Amino acid sequence: MATGLITDETADQIVTTCRTAVGDSLRSVTYFTRDDYEQLYLREDLERDADLTSFIGHEWRGFKTTQAAYEGSELGDYNYTIRVFDNGFLIRVTTDREGVFATTDGLTMKDFEEVATSLQSFLGERVE
């Protein structure tokens, strides 16, 4: 599904990172920056009808506002976000310039921690 925002190799690495952590529970993977996004994976049993532009707007701009509200709190540094819906979950991992959100079927907290840690490591080490 790569369209040029990142290389095909990077897209494959992100999807593989998510698939390794959550297996067949993975529903979709989207890479995003402040200005653009690219859906890297969509499980074949799902419809391609999500409004990704709105998702990205919320997951980037809305996140920055929320993150600022918690800065300096006793909770410590932000790590990642899990959103719970009727039909699945969304996990978001970001750096200052890019991020990934993945949607999944039901997972354990350990599974979420594994995918978040793997994505944080990948994004933190990546230079493109």
Side-chain angles (χ1 to χ4, degrees):
M1 283 188 205
T3 61
L5 184 60
I6 56 177
T7 66
D8 288 343
E9 180 181 338
T10 299
D12 289 343
Q13 288 174 323
I14 292 170
V15 172
T16 298
T17 297
C18 293
R19 292 272 310 171
T20 299
V22 300
D24 292 338
S25 291
L26 187 64
R27 295 170 65 95
S28 69
V29 178
T30 302
Y31 170 86
F32 61 97
T33 66
R34 295 172 201 250
D35 303 316
D36 208 352
Y37 67 89
E38 188 171 329
Q39 187 170 54
L40 307 178
Y41 171 81
L42 181 66
R43 198 169 66 196
E44 63 185 40
D45 65 319
L46 299 174
E47 297 292 324
R48 191 176 299 277
D49 61 353
D51 181 5
L52 293 177
T53 302
S54 292
F55 284 9
I56 297 304
H58 179 73
E59 294 303 330
W60 189 263
R61 288 176 291 282
F63 163 69
K64 292 298 181 186
T65 302
T66 302
Q67 186 181 28
Y70 293 99
E71 282 181 3
S73 80
E74 70 281 353
L75 294 171
D77 293 336
Y78 169 81
N79 290 304
Y80 61 92
T81 298
I82 301 171
R83 297 189 189 286
V84 180
F85 300 92
D86 287 342
N87 297 319
F89 300 85
L90 181 143
I91 182 167
R92 179 196 57 230
V93 177
T94 61
T95 67
D96 288 340
R97 60 183 175 80
E98 62 187 347
V100 173
F101 72 78
T103 61
T104 71
D105 294 329
L107 296 176
T108 66
M109 284 304 294
K110 182 179 178 207
D111 294 330
F112 284 120
E113 181 70 27
E114 184 175 337
V115 73
T117 300
S118 297
L119 285 171
Q120 286 168 333
S121 176
F122 179 80
L123 291 173
E125 295 171 0
R126 197 171 88 72
V127 176
E128 187 153 322

